[in-house]
Amino acid sequence: MIDPKPKKQRIAVLGGGVGAMSAAYELTEQPGWSDRLEIDIYQMGWRLGGKGASGRNAEYGMRIEEHGLHIWLGFYDNAFRLMNRCYAELGRPAGSPMATVADAFSNHSTSELMENIHGEWRIWPIEFPTNEAKLGEGTEVLSPWSYVRMMSAWLVGLFDGADLGVGLLDSLTSFHPLAWVERAFRAALRDVEEMIHPTALHAGHALIHSLPLDPAQHTSAQHRSVISLLETFREQWFTRVGEKIHDDDALRRLGVLMDLGITSIRGMIADGTLFHGFDPLDEEDFHDWLVRHGMRAENQWCAPVRALYDLVFAYEEGDIRRPNLAAGASLRIIVRMFCSYKGAIFQKMMAGMGDIVFGPMYEVMKRRGVRFHFFHKVHNLALSDDKQSIAKIQIGVQATSRDPGGYDPLIDVKGLPCWPSEPLFDRLVEGDAIRASGSNLELSWGTWKDVGELTLESGKDFDRVILGISCGAFPYVCPELIAARQDWRVMVDRVKSVRTKAFQIWMSKSSAELGWPISSKAQMGAYVEPLDTWADMSHLLPQEQWPEGVEVKSVSYFCGALKETPMPDPPFSDPSYAASQELQTRDRATHFLQSQIRPLWPKGGTPENPDGLDWNLLVDPKLAQGEARFESQYWRANVEPTERYVMTVKGSTRYRLRPEASGFANLVLAGDWTYNGINAGCVEAAVMSGMMASRAISGFPQEIVGETDFTVRGA
């Protein structure tokens, strides 16, 4: 007799970060998925989000507390497509909080870089144009040659828009373009010859745009001509401008951007990126790559380069003296970030990332029938006897829900479902004991003991496993996998992660009142190490719920890499380790506020200490005095193995495992640590990896935007 109902495939998803959640979301997008699949998600602690988690602190005005600074980029085509679908299905009524993606994300078109010139910190404001493209509606990635064309147009636009004066312009046009190229290009340069101030930059731009979109139709001589023209312009610029750049911010910054852009175009052409993509460049550090392609010594650690390293915490073991960032991944991020964004280059979330991203995803998937198991911490993946598949998953049960239907994780804040900053103790059997112990169930270093153990068995409790836990935890949860396969051992050794630190402060004055000179909300990088990045996130204040009489005018987020001490990790039985890292972060934050604030907030100090922050500006409902007011602010050290930022160090890309190629028959991988088309720590990379994991199980989705460095047409 034929069974009319085929057996469902049971999927165990381990972890609740972007990669794991994206994989589960895509699996449940298919019509009739529940007839074929059963999906269970196992998550340590009380909330989803991984490195992107956020929470609401009930003690302090339901304020938003993040793991760090989370801002999306406009080129996140796959991530925004997922959000568009999620919010459409969520179906919040018009007028309700965060009813649509347009409510949840806001264009942000400015950024500020900090430059230390002759010992003085100067602010370099940069504004990027907006466009009418819709978030998440991109269907293909541009080719490397298309990026070269866009970069050359950008350089010409910068140059033509600058007020250089006739004398300097004339000094940069003393060359004969036709002497640099073969006869075949004379037609392309005709318009350049007729310009009032034609430069070698204009000639190079004309040549680039005269060539076909397919670089296979170019000749090596044509590429050499482009490089020669651009290098000629670079040499002329720094020869003719000379000492003027030391006293003129505008000239110096224009020269920095010209140098960086020309070096990048030269390197992309010379190193064969047009034909082989960006991956081969990942064997070299980005800074070293710039040096090799002729970037001037004074610009090699310019503010834009420093900001890129800061953006991705690219310092081995958190040591700012050890920068390490793969060149290919860097270039891929740069060109997609600046050339492929929709709407605006940055997209700020209008509440915490947990509220905007993981709350809606949780609600939609729970409605669909996905089962969530909070307070389930994975301890070990055990292999079968033949070492070919996952036989068991050993899980520690941290706490049990009072509700037999499972733990309800969300709370209401001004009508918006949100994640709390700590467990909802009244919903847990062990809630009072956990609260009394002061234990953090998101940390492995602690005194709280699991209240139970759960062992999932292959063929009984699961058929396939999606490993969405971050790679920093693999030495602890995957020792058998590492021992069984060389590719796992190499990956764990080469694909590194780094601890980070972050703090947030709420103040009774706005940034403008504190003296910040830029009209837009700050989003600043390349500042003093190791707290090199700052963002004014005051747009979040309307979503918080401070009590009457407590005036909050601004909230600022700061973050940076956390230097790793000691190494290796102490045993999890030592609770003092995490506490010591939190204390280090607190001390670094207060030192920063005492001594490094004046360049940002010149009106924020006191007569006794103009370089620091007046502690009385910190909002403290408990009314402490002096530095003690900082105790009411928020800081964290991201030392938990799953919370460490995944790096892209030189020589590591080729050792990343693809989501479908774990080497074990029933195991699929998901996370920004996999080989995913971007290969850097960001939301888009994690979403793409989750989509690839879903495809490995179900065949869906077939196409993923940006999975390769070339368009479908190969243009």
Side-chain angles (χ1 to χ4, degrees):
M1 182 175 179
I2 299 176
D3 185 354
K5 291 180 118 180
K7 180 182 175 182
K8 295 182 182 181
Q9 186 175 193
R10 292 157 295 190
I11 312 296
V13 181
L14 309 182
V18 175
M21 291 291 284
S22 299
Y25 195 93
E26 296 293 348
L27 285 172
T28 59
E29 273 285 88
Q30 306 162 74
W33 75 270
S34 59
D35 295 331
R36 302 185 298 274
L37 302 175
E38 292 180 358
I39 299 177
D40 291 89
I41 296 178
Y42 298 90
Q43 170 66 39
M44 72 180 292
W46 64 94
R47 57 183 166 180
L48 301 172
K51 294 184 284 293
S54 69
R56 297 302 190 106
N57 189 317
E59 184 179 4
Y60 294 103
M62 285 297 177
R63 71 187 186 189
I64 297 166
E65 297 176 342
E66 301 266 4
H67 277 48
L69 175 60
H70 300 296
I71 296 173
W72 285 30
L73 296 174
F75 80 86
Y76 287 1
D77 290 325
N78 296 290
F80 277 113
R81 180 176 291 113
L82 189 155
M83 285 290 98
N84 288 338
R85 288 178 278 139
C86 181
Y87 273 75
E89 185 171 343
L90 190 62
R92 288 174 175 165
S96 63
M98 309 301 159
T100 67
V101 170
D103 298 329
F105 291 87
S106 176
N107 285 350
H108 188 86
S109 299
T110 60
S111 182
E112 295 80 29
L113 304 178
M114 298 297 288
E115 295 182 294
N116 194 308
I117 306 299
H118 309 307
E120 173 193 0
W121 284 103
R122 300 181 188 178
I123 302 169
W124 178 355
I126 302 175
E127 184 162 359
F128 302 91
T130 58
N131 59 56
E132 297 302 316
K134 303 299 181 183
L135 293 171
E137 292 191 2
T139 58
E140 59 184 24
V141 70
L142 297 175
S143 67
W145 183 250
S146 295
Y147 289 129
V148 167
R149 290 164 62 98
M150 295 179 74
M151 289 166 67
S152 73
W154 173 70
L155 291 175
V156 167
L158 282 175
F159 181 85
D160 288 348
D163 184 11
L164 300 179
V166 174
L168 179 56
L169 282 171
D170 284 339
S171 72
L172 291 169
T173 60
S174 57
F175 83 110
H176 303 287
L178 294 184
W180 287 89
V181 294
E182 305 87 33
R183 294 177 181 273
F185 290 100
R186 292 185 180 179
L189 296 175
R190 193 168 295 141
D191 292 339
V192 175
E193 284 189 300
E194 295 172 359
M195 293 179 62
I196 297 175
H197 295 288
T199 69
L201 174 67
H202 294 90
H205 173 66
L207 289 183
I208 287 170
H209 281 260
S210 74
L211 297 175
L213 282 174
D214 183 0
Q217 299 178 36
H218 307 173
T219 68
S220 58
Q222 292 167 344
H223 287 169
R224 286 196 302 272
S225 295
V226 169
I227 290 173
S228 293
L229 285 164
L230 296 182
E231 288 184 330
T232 295
F233 174 81
R234 178 167 60 184
E235 183 62 29
Q236 287 179 323
W237 173 269
F238 288 102
T239 299
R240 308 291 164 80
V241 174
E243 294 299 318
K244 294 180 181 179
I245 63 174
H246 298 297
D247 302 312
D248 189 318
D249 283 347
L251 278 179
R252 185 186 65 259
R253 291 166 182 172
L254 179 59
V256 165
L257 295 178
M258 290 291 166
D259 198 5
L260 183 58
I262 288 170
T263 302
S264 298
I265 291 174
R266 182 201 189 284
M268 288 175 64
I269 294 174
D271 285 351
T273 305
L274 309 180
F275 306 101
H276 309 299
F278 294 101
D279 281 357
L281 306 186
D282 279 341
E283 297 300 304
E284 188 172 12
D285 174 71
F286 181 55
H287 169 268
D288 294 344
W289 183 84
L290 292 173
V291 172
R292 183 164 62 83
H293 286 289
M295 193 163 183
R296 293 179 63 88
E298 65 267 31
N299 295 332
Q300 290 164 9
W301 283 114
C302 60
V305 173
R306 280 196 57 220
L308 177 64
Y309 278 72
D310 294 345
L311 177 69
V312 293
F313 305 98
Y315 304 101
E316 284 196 76
E317 297 183 355
D319 188 343
I320 60 174
R321 298 168 300 178
R322 298 173 61 195
N324 192 334
L325 180 57
S330 302
L331 281 166
R332 184 185 292 113
I333 290 172
I334 289 170
V335 295
R336 293 190 187 181
M337 180 177 178
F338 293 107
C339 301
S340 300
Y341 63 82
K342 312 296 191 301
I345 188 170
F346 302 111
Q347 295 292 328
K348 281 191 172 181
M349 287 170 279
M350 300 306 290
M353 187 163 170
D355 313 333
I356 295 299
V357 177
F358 295 102
M361 291 182 74
Y362 168 76
E363 290 189 273
V364 168
M365 285 198 283
K366 189 171 178 62
R367 287 183 201 171
R368 290 176 174 181
V370 173
R371 296 186 291 257
F372 289 85
H373 306 270
F374 294 97
F375 305 102
H376 281 63
K377 182 180 179 182
V378 176
H379 287 314
N380 185 53
L381 274 66
L383 290 178
S384 58
D385 291 340
D386 62 3
K387 311 298 183 185
Q388 299 300 306
S389 64
I390 307 301
K392 296 179 181 179
I393 305 169
Q394 295 164 329
I395 295 174
V397 180
Q398 299 172 295
T400 47
S401 173
R402 292 186 184 276
D403 184 348
Y407 177 77
D408 180 6
L410 300 177
I411 57 175
D412 182 281
V413 181
K414 292 187 173 182
L416 183 67
C418 300
W419 305 89
S421 284
E422 60 184 10
L424 299 171
F425 299 112
D426 60 336
R427 301 180 188 180
L428 297 172
V429 173
E430 303 83 8
D432 291 340
I434 297 171
R435 187 193 336 242
S437 74
S439 297
N440 183 345
L441 300 189
E442 291 182 332
L443 271 177
S444 296
W445 290 275
T447 57
W448 183 257
K449 304 297 183 183
D450 294 337
V451 299
E453 296 180 357
L454 175 66
T455 298
L456 306 179
E457 298 182 9
S458 177
K460 176 183 176 184
D461 303 300
F462 66 88
D463 299 298
R464 303 288 291 275
V465 181
I466 296 177
L467 179 57
I469 298 171
S470 192
C471 61
F474 289 175
Y476 307 104
V477 301
C478 302
E480 294 186 36
L481 283 65
I482 296 169
R485 290 188 60 92
Q486 173 70 9
D487 53 356
W488 274 75
R489 290 192 291 276
V490 175
M491 179 188 68
V492 169
D493 179 60
R494 299 295 183 90
V495 180
K496 299 181 181 298
S497 61
V498 61
R499 297 161 175 82
T500 64
K501 59 177 172 286
F503 73 92
Q504 301 169 209
I505 53 175
W506 289 258
M507 290 180 286
S508 58
K509 287 187 177 181
S510 68
S511 290
E513 291 173 320
L514 294 171
W516 176 248
I518 312 300
S519 60
S520 61
K521 293 289 189 293
Q523 186 170 298
M524 181 211 76
Y527 191 40
V528 62
E529 301 293 356
L531 288 161
D532 45 48
T533 303
W534 163 50
D536 183 337
M537 302 294 281
S538 302
H539 67 283
L540 300 177
L541 291 175
Q543 296 302 321
E544 299 180 343
Q545 197 169 312
W546 291 90
E548 187 175 349
V550 177
E551 184 179 38
V552 186
K553 287 190 175 181
S554 66
V555 56
S556 287
Y557 290 27
F558 295 86
C559 63
L562 176 63
K563 190 171 182 180
E564 299 183 3
T565 53
M567 284 294 287
D569 291 339
F572 289 152
S573 58
D574 178 9
S576 66
Y577 169 66
S580 71
Q581 300 305 293
E582 291 282 344
L583 180 61
Q584 181 190 139
T585 296
R586 182 207 180 281
D587 290 347
R588 191 65 190 86
T590 53
H591 173 76
F592 175 87
L593 293 174
Q594 287 172 335
S595 60
Q596 305 290 350
I597 285 301
R598 190 173 188 177
L600 312 182
W601 299 324
K603 299 179 182 178
T606 64
E608 297 76 20
N609 183 19
D611 293 327
L613 180 70
D614 180 354
W615 296 113
N616 291 320
L617 295 173
L618 298 179
V619 173
D620 179 11
K622 297 181 179 180
L623 303 179
Q625 297 300 307
E627 185 180 330
R629 293 177 78 89
F630 186 78
E631 300 301 321
S632 64
Q633 309 306 298
Y634 179 70
W635 67 92
R636 65 178 295 127
N638 293 308
V639 298
E640 178 65 24
T642 60
E643 294 175 348
R644 299 170 189 174
Y645 190 90
V646 177
M647 302 179 71
T648 308
V649 299
K650 64 181 180 181
S652 66
T653 297
R654 58 193 170 110
Y655 298 112
R656 288 171 172 251
L657 297 178
R658 295 182 63 90
E660 72 278 9
S662 73
F664 300 99
N666 58 350
L667 179 65
V668 177
L669 311 174
D672 58 7
W673 49 272
T674 64
Y675 185 91
N676 52 63
I678 291 183
N679 303 323
C682 67
V683 167
E684 179 73 351
V687 169
M688 291 169 67
S689 180
M691 297 171 75
M692 295 168 75
S694 171
R695 185 173 61 193
I697 292 173
S698 67
F700 177 87
Q702 293 183 352
E703 294 184 3
I704 300 171
V705 179
E707 188 176 1
T708 74
D709 288 327
F710 301 94
T711 63
V712 174
R713 296 184 303 274

